[in-house]
Amino acid sequence: MDEKVTAKPDQAAVASPRRSPSQQRSRERVERMLAAASALIAEQGSDAMRMGEVAERAEVSIGSLYQFFPDKRAIVWALAERYTAESQACISEALKDVGDAEGLKQAFSELVDIYYRLFLAEPVMRDIWSGTQADKALRELELADSRANAEFLVAVLKRLRPAADPVELETIAFLVWQMGEAAMRLAISVDREEGDRLVAAYKAMALRELVGE
C-alpha cells in the first residue's frame, strides 16, 4: 500500500527563514525576534511593521535578524506556522478519545469556542489570518492546516460510522474545517454581537452534518 503523504504549502512561495537556530543561544535570540515582531504586530499590524523595528525591540543587530529572516514575510510565516502547530496539537488532544456522538458534539463545540476566543484575544493571530486571502503562501498554509485538522475529525467519524464511505467522510470533515476558518474570519470582521451569532450558526450547521444535531 502506498504511504499517504500530506501536501504541504509551497515553501518557494514565501521567504522562508534563512536558517534554523541550532544552538541554545541562537534559539533564544530567534525567540526574542519573534516576540518583538508579535508585539509590534499587536500594536500596529503586520503591514506597518519594519525589520529595523523588530531588530531594535529584540535588541539584536539588523544583520543578525536577516541571518534568520530575509524579510518581513518570513517572520509572519514563522508566526503563522507556530499558531498552526499549536492549534493542531489542541485539536488532536481534544478529539483523540472521542468515541460517541455526544462526545464529538461536546469536543467540537468546545474547540470552536476556544478558536473563536483566540481570534478575539490574539491580535497577532487575527492580523495574520485576516490577511490570508491576500497572500498565496498563507492561503496554502491554511489549506494544509484544514486538511490536517480534517484528518483528526475523520478518525472520529470512522469510529462513529464504520460502514460509511471513507471518501465521503474525508470530504465532509475537510469542508467543515475549511468553512470554520471562513466563519472565524467573518466573525471577527463584524461587531461582537453579530460575530457571536455567526459562530453559533456555524456550530449548529457543522454539528447537523457531523452528528445529526
Side-chain angles (χ1 to χ4, degrees), residues 23 43 73 82 90 130 176-177:
Q23 298 180 348
E43 292 169 9
R73 291 182 70 222
R82 176 167 296 187
C90 178
S130 292
V176 163
W177 281 118

Side-chain angles (χ1 to χ4, degrees), residues 20-205:
S20 298
S22 57
Q23 298 180 348
Q24 180 66 23
R25 192 172 178 181
S26 294
R27 288 194 293 269
E28 290 173 353
R29 190 159 62 244
V30 167
E31 284 301 317
R32 292 206 311 275
M33 295 172 187
L34 292 176
S38 293
L40 287 166
I41 292 173
E43 292 169 9
Q44 61 192 32
S46 58
D47 288 344
M49 182 180 70
R50 297 292 178 264
M51 296 292 278
E53 293 176 311
V54 177
E56 180 179 0
R57 183 164 298 199
E59 298 182 342
V60 300
S61 69
I62 191 68
S64 180
L65 177 64
Y66 278 115
Q67 280 184 330
F68 294 98
F69 301 103
D71 59 22
K72 181 172 66 174
R73 291 182 70 222
I75 295 176
V76 172
W77 174 269
L79 291 170
E81 282 194 312
R82 176 167 296 187
Y83 280 119
T84 295
E86 290 173 354
S87 70
Q88 287 183 13
C90 178
I91 292 165
S92 175
E93 179 65 25
L95 295 179
K96 67 184 179 69
D97 295 325
V98 172
D100 56 37
E102 188 59 33
L104 176 56
K105 178 183 176 182
Q106 180 178 342
F108 183 83
S109 296
E110 290 175 354
L111 282 170
V112 172
D113 290 340
I114 290 170
Y115 209 50
Y116 183 39
R117 287 197 297 270
L118 279 173
F119 265 99
L120 291 171
E122 289 284 348
V124 179
M125 185 177 182
R126 191 164 61 245
D127 180 279
I128 291 171
W129 294 117
S130 292
T132 296
Q133 298 307 305
D135 189 303
K136 181 177 183 293
L138 287 180
R139 285 201 309 273
E140 291 181 351
L141 180 62
E142 181 188 58
L143 187 62
D145 183 42
S146 290
R147 289 192 185 280
N149 292 335
E151 290 190 12
F152 300 134
L153 186 53
V154 167
V156 177
L157 293 176
K158 285 181 177 179
R159 292 197 292 271
L160 301 185
R161 309 180 197 173
D165 179 358
V167 174
E168 180 181 354
L169 296 181
E170 290 169 4
T171 301
I172 291 171
F174 180 44
L175 185 57
V176 163
W177 281 118
Q178 188 62 30
M179 287 176 62
E181 298 283 356
M184 293 301 157
R185 193 158 33 243
L186 177 60
I188 63 174
S189 69
V190 298
D191 65 69
R192 177 62 186 274
E193 184 177 352
E194 184 177 12
D196 290 352
R197 291 199 304 270
L198 289 167
V199 172
Y202 164 71
K203 280 200 295 186
M205 291 170 59

